Amino acid sequence: MSSRYPVEPFERQAATYDRSVFSAVGFPHAGYGEILDETVRRSNARSGMDILDLGVGTGNLAQRFADIGCNLWGIDYSSNM
């Protein structure tokens, strides 16, 4: 697939992304887990709800929706993510 946006940086980041965002202290990832939790809370998601995650990355947000029983569909620009 041809794109004007380079996918390589995302492909390289995939292996270490989760470790880096969950251990971040400052901007831009400080509080990453709490932000994901707040996103789910504000969505009023409930078991059986259909969720579309565009830019699913490593699945951190999608996993939170799955944990409460949502049906998930997702895609990401990077196959490694």
Side-chain angles (χ1 to χ4, degrees), residues 16-26 29-33:
T16 59
Y17 183 79
D18 289 341
R19 184 175 54 245
S20 67
V21 296
F22 282 110
S23 64
V25 188
H29 297 296
Y32 179 75

Side-chain angles (χ1 to χ4, degrees), residues 60-74:
N60 295 318
L61 180 60
Q63 184 62 58
R64 283 165 166 76
F65 284 111
D67 288 345
I68 61 173
C70 294
N71 305 309
L72 297 162
W73 286 266

Side-chain angles (χ1 to χ4, degrees), residues 4-79:
R4 49 185 225 179
Y5 302 106
V7 71
E8 295 83 16
F10 299 103
E11 299 294 319
R12 286 190 308 269
Q13 266 189 326
T16 59
Y17 183 79
D18 289 341
R19 184 175 54 245
S20 67
V21 296
F22 282 110
S23 64
V25 188
F27 181 83
H29 297 296
Y32 179 75
E34 291 82 6
I35 291 168
L36 298 179
D37 292 339
E38 183 69 8
T39 300
V40 173
R41 189 187 69 72
R42 288 186 182 209
S43 74
N44 296 314
R46 60 196 174 283
S47 183
M49 182 179 275
D50 294 332
I51 303 292
L52 174 62
D53 189 349
L54 301 174
V56 72
T58 58
N60 295 318
L61 180 60
Q63 184 62 58
R64 283 165 166 76
F65 284 111
D67 288 345
I68 61 173
C70 294
N71 305 309
L72 297 162
W73 286 266
I75 190 167
D76 199 276
Y77 180 65
S78 164
S79 60

